[in-house]
Amino acid sequence: MEQRILKPEPLTPAGFAPYGDVIECATAAEQRHINYGHTIRFHDLARLDLEKDGGRPLVSIFRSTPLERPVPIKVMERHPLSSQAFYPLSGLPYLVVVADRGDFDPATLKAFLARPDQGVNYQAGTWHHYCLALEGVSEFLVIDRGGPEKNCDEVFIKEAGFVVANV
Amino acid sequence: MEQRILKPEPLTPAGFAPYGDVIECATAAEQRHINYGHTIRFHDLARLDLEKDGGRPLVSIFRSTPLERPVPIKVMERHPLSSQAFYPLSGLPYLVVVADRGDFDPATLKAFLARPDQGVNYQAGTWHHYCLALEGVSEFLVIDRGGPEKNCDEVFIKEAGFVVANV
């Protein structure tokens, strides 16, 4: 079977809106000048949704090793109960791969290339690939949900492979 | 009056424990290997306390301009209702200045030098200075509380100045 190639598009709030939020200063809706002029607060950059069914917000760091290139897409995941936010800490671009909510449909797979100053916040239920570091081992600050409930579904893509085009 | 000089000590979880958490991989209590071996999750690195009295977690970015050197300490703040977490995004060290909880006592002022891979999470009520970028304009990812309640007390240090020794 033919390999399908996902061509990443630049990550923008408009393009990513069906999946969640882009966390970035450039498009922040609200800037507050605080700390006697020494700080700009780019305020409230993501719709965090972490408290359903007794969840609590967690902050963690993910350290991710790049996959082979071109990057194969073999498994996708979603968190039905909560959002999950990633902000890059290593000054490197990375890939974001998502698909529409609902029953997983590989035809809806979409790839974005994120800049080193852009985070993403997946809304609850959004199918996404795990962190796709690109140019080296990369760390991400992650804000997600703590709680004992099962909150991760996975789907394995068995048909002919999807890969992300090299960028 | 004589100027008092705070000599910053290296930021460590033990030294910072009276004030809050150090957010770092190096001393994480729990590491989880996830994503089919491609990611290490340094799990749950700070005691977030954001939901009292109807608060909600917010993620924002602070962009801070360094003060003059030696850094003068003229105003301290605390958030009585919630924690506030900062993680540096610009690959630069920064200063953390705190004082004991309760009535503000300048004799308890303490300075720490944070590495570029260390965040801090101030516990509710901890007196702290605002973000002290050091070597250039610096951004921080901030996780704090949203809600209409007043949640910031400030105290101005009128007596002879405190400065942080150059590092």
Side-chain angles (χ1 to χ4, degrees), chain A residues 31-125:
Chain A
Q31 298 184 20
R32 298 182 180 177
H33 291 260
I34 61 172
N35 298 340
Y36 304 94
H38 282 276
T39 304
I40 303 171
R41 179 182 175 120
F42 298 90
H43 181 69
D44 195 8
L45 299 174
R47 294 163 296 161
L48 302 181
D49 173 14
L50 302 168
E51 294 151 322
K52 259 196 297 271
D53 295 350
R56 67 184 175 94
L58 291 186
V59 60
S60 303
I61 293 174
F62 283 19
R63 182 182 291 162
S64 293
T65 306
L67 273 64
E68 63 196 282
R69 305 257 201 130
V71 175
I73 302 302
K74 295 177 177 169
V75 56
M76 297 284 285
E77 64 185 61
R78 67 175 175 188
H79 308 297
L81 290 180
S82 59
S83 61
Q84 187 178 38
F86 292 81
Y87 198 92
L89 301 177
S90 297
L92 297 171
Y94 61 102
L95 287 174
V96 173
V97 176
V98 290
D100 286 357
R101 273 171 274 196
D103 292 336
F104 176 73
D105 177 359
T108 68
L109 279 167
K110 198 154 190 173
F112 294 93
L113 178 63
R115 300 191 313 260
D117 63 347
Q118 291 182 310
V120 289
N121 182 48
Y122 302 112
Q123 281 304 298

Side-chain angles (χ1 to χ4, degrees), chain A residues 36 42 45 51 59 61 154, chain B residues 36 42 45 51 59 61 154:
Chain A
Y36 304 94
F42 298 90
L45 299 174
E51 294 151 322
V59 60
I61 293 174
E154 280 185 315
Chain B
Y36 305 92
F42 299 89
L45 299 174
E51 294 150 323
V59 60
I61 293 175
E154 280 184 316

Side-chain angles (χ1 to χ4, degrees), chain B residues 22-34:
Chain B
V22 176
I23 301 172
E24 62 176 8
C25 295
T27 58
E30 186 178 351
Q31 298 183 20
R32 298 181 180 178
H33 292 261
I34 61 171

Side-chain angles (χ1 to χ4, degrees), chain A residues 23-26 34-46 48 50-51 55-68 75 77 84-85 87-89 117 130-131 139 141-145 154 156, chain B residues 23-26 34-46 48 50-51 55-68 75 77 84-85 87-89 117 130-131 139 141-145 154 156:
Chain A
I23 301 171
E24 61 175 9
C25 296
I34 61 172
N35 298 340
Y36 304 94
H38 282 276
T39 304
I40 303 171
R41 179 182 175 120
F42 298 90
H43 181 69
D44 195 8
L45 299 174
L48 302 181
L50 302 168
E51 294 151 322
R56 67 184 175 94
L58 291 186
V59 60
S60 303
I61 293 174
F62 283 19
R63 182 182 291 162
S64 293
T65 306
L67 273 64
E68 63 196 282
V75 56
E77 64 185 61
Q84 187 178 38
Y87 198 92
L89 301 177
D117 63 347
Y130 59 77
C131 286
E139 293 182 354
L141 201 77
V142 178
I143 306 167
D144 61 5
R145 178 188 186 276
E154 280 185 315
F156 296 89
Chain B
I23 301 172
E24 62 176 8
C25 295
I34 61 171
N35 298 342
Y36 305 92
H38 283 276
T39 304
I40 304 171
R41 179 183 175 119
F42 299 89
H43 181 67
D44 194 9
L45 299 174
L48 301 181
L50 302 168
E51 294 150 323
R56 67 184 176 95
L58 292 186
V59 60
S60 302
I61 293 175
F62 283 20
R63 182 180 291 163
S64 292
T65 305
L67 273 65
E68 63 195 284
V75 57
E77 63 184 62
Q84 188 178 36
Y87 198 92
L89 301 177
D117 63 348
Y130 59 76
C131 285
E139 292 183 355
L141 201 77
V142 177
I143 307 167
D144 61 6
R145 178 188 187 277
E154 280 184 316
F156 296 89

